[in-house]
Amino acid sequence: MGVIGASGSGKSRWLKDGLRRMRPSRLLIWDPQDEYGEFGQVVTDTRELVEVLAALGPADGFQIVYRPGDDMSTYRWKFDLFCEIAYQIERLCVVVEEVADVTSASYAPPYWSRLSRKGRHRAMTMFAVTQRPAVIDKTFLGNCTLIHCCRLNDKNDISVMAATLGVPVDDVRNLKADPDTGVFQFIERNMQTGEIGCGALDSRGSHSARPERNVSSLPAPEANVT
Ligand SMILES: Nc1ncnc2c1ncn2[C@@H]1O[C@H](COP(=O)(O)OP(=O)(O)OP(=O)(O)O)[C@@H](O)[C@H]1O
Ligand SMILES: [Mg+2]
């Protein structure tokens, strides 16, 4: 699932709201902005990340929030490792915040590319968040089952997303994100069925997609959560 929108457009709020409802039993988050602490055990050391995950049994549930830190020059190898580990875990929900930090339009790290292309065979659910569709790698966008698009400011990004969603450019251009009223509008496209949905987060952060055009945007909560 691709989550796209300008800074402050409601991407992370929507995603966090969705995670609270989904309650994934196996969750791994790439959290460069230190904002997902409520969702699991925070790990900042890469060695600890490997050790914690290696100690888990095949049926164990876990929620791990990995924070790569402030030094972006280390992101490349850290993200490679993160993706390599994630690929080994069946039935995982992976969240990657600000993919543009670690991918570009012309370059997808090989292990990330493998996750995007083959994760489905491992019953994986992936969420990738980015402010700029133009800088996200095309393999990921091309393999999305759902695209959730919030307000964008850049003219080129608006055109790219209108074409990707298959909606008029004005529909994307007119999306509102208003912190004063707490209303953050979005358009979603189920890339498998072509269904379009639109809606808004309300002031309490809850989802209010219009039913007549709603798409089933998130998997149901997992049954085996304790
Ligand atoms: N828990 C919260 N309660 C109320 N408002 C919030 C909460 N979290 C974020 N906001 C506000 O909601 C708006 C959207 O925030 P959000 O974090 O979803 O933006 P974003 O699209 O993820 O931006 P960025 O790309 O900068 O991370 C912002 O105005 C923010 O100040
Ligand atoms: Mg965010």
Side-chain angles (χ1 to χ4, degrees), residues 7-220:
S7 182
S9 62
K11 301 182 297 298
S12 300
R13 269 183 79 178
W14 175 80
L15 181 46
K16 288 172 191 171
D17 187 38
L19 289 174
R20 286 184 201 108
R21 284 184 290 118
M22 274 173 71
R23 290 175 292 148
S25 57
R26 318 187 106 203
L27 176 66
L28 182 60
I29 302 179
W30 171 270
D31 181 22
Q33 282 156 166
D34 303 352
E35 57 175 328
Y36 281 82
E38 71 172 274
F39 292 97
Q41 176 187 348
V42 172
V43 175
T44 53
D45 182 77
T46 316
R47 185 184 301 239
E48 188 188 345
L49 177 71
V50 175
E51 284 171 0
V52 168
L53 289 170
L56 293 167
D60 288 346
F62 61 87
Q63 286 80 29
I64 292 176
V65 178
Y66 174 62
R67 294 187 170 161
D70 293 331
D71 182 0
M72 290 179 69
S73 70
T74 63
Y75 279 18
R76 193 159 177 161
W77 68 264
K78 286 177 178 171
F79 191 62
D80 271 349
L81 187 69
F82 178 91
C83 292
E84 193 178 357
I85 294 171
Y87 188 70
Q88 311 304 325
I89 304 169
E90 301 264 342
R91 295 177 286 108
L92 181 66
C93 177
V94 191
V95 172
V96 177
E97 269 282 352
E98 205 39 82
V99 240
D101 286 348
V102 283
T103 76
S104 71
S106 56
Y107 176 74
Y111 290 119
W112 168 248
S113 177
R114 183 173 67 174
L115 274 188
S116 305
R117 288 181 289 107
K118 298 188 179 169
R120 187 175 65 82
H121 298 286
R122 295 178 172 254
M124 182 174 284
T125 306
M126 293 172 70
F127 292 90
V129 182
T130 187
Q131 294 178 352
R132 303 283 319 271
V135 298
I136 195 170
D137 75 278
K138 299 220 169 7
T139 308
F140 180 80
L141 218 48
N143 282 323
C144 281
T145 50
L146 181 102
I147 292 190
H148 179 92
C149 178
C150 307
R151 170 155 182 91
L152 290 159
N153 297 321
D154 181 83
K155 202 172 132 198
N156 185 45
D157 290 345
I158 290 169
S159 307
V160 167
M161 285 318 297
T164 306
L165 294 164
V167 300
V169 173
D170 278 347
D171 284 10
V172 179
R173 185 182 292 125
N174 293 336
L175 286 171
K176 305 273 184 298
D178 185 348
D180 293 335
T181 59
V183 173
F184 296 89
Q185 295 179 328
F186 58 79
I187 301 175
E188 293 176 339
R189 181 185 176 93
N190 181 322
M191 302 303 278
Q192 290 173 320
T193 64
E195 268 182 285
I196 305 287
C198 58
L201 295 178
D202 68 19
S203 55
R204 296 176 310 279
S206 64
H207 213 202
S208 61
R210 287 178 209 156
E212 74 275 17
R213 297 183 70 199
N214 194 10
V215 286
S216 172
S217 57
L218 289 164

